[in-house]
Amino acid sequence: MNTTNPITLYTTMRLRTVLACFIWLVLFCFNISAATKICYSVGQNTTDHKTGSPTITISSGTATFSVAQIAANMGIGDQVTYNTSSIAYISGKISTTQW
């Protein structure tokens, strides 16, 4: 036989519901998530640093070039223009083909 006081049970359930609603508000309504790091280059020129005529595929935040990008002055913060007018910024180097 359950001897839990119905008022105590109701209060506990109500507090859990209020807490769940508060967490939902914080996570979804205010869209709190990890910040996206964006780096901008402080380079000395605006010349095209690409090697060859690569095609680019971007998936899950990683850009894969069809031609290895070996320019010594290409790196974090440099702008990559793809699909004619879309822009991304390099945030790190995985390999000469993946940035």
Side-chain angles (χ1 to χ4, degrees):
M1 180 173 176
N2 188 350
T3 59
T4 305
N5 183 334
I7 294 173
T8 303
L9 184 60
Y10 174 78
T11 303
T12 302
M13 289 173 39
R14 185 168 171 92
L15 286 173
R16 286 182 184 166
T17 302
V18 169
L19 181 59
C21 289
F22 177 76
I23 291 170
W24 182 85
L25 281 171
V26 169
L27 294 177
F28 296 101
C29 291
F30 297 111
N31 196 19
I32 295 176
S33 61
T36 301
K37 180 177 77 171
I38 300 176
C39 303
Y40 296 102
S41 179
V42 293
Q44 301 298 314
N45 63 60
T46 58
T47 59
D48 189 347
H49 298 324
K50 77 175 176 279
T51 302
S53 299
T55 57
I56 185 172
T57 303
I58 298 178
S59 177
S60 299
T62 300
T64 303
F65 292 83
S66 61
V67 176
Q69 298 302 296
I70 57 172
N73 55 351
M74 181 175 165
I76 294 175
D78 285 341
Q79 177 179 310
V80 176
T81 304
Y82 63 99
N83 291 342
T84 308
S85 61
S86 297
I87 295 173
Y89 293 92
I90 296 174
S91 63
K93 179 180 179 181
I94 299 169
S95 69
T96 57
T97 58
Q98 290 189 311
W99 298 75

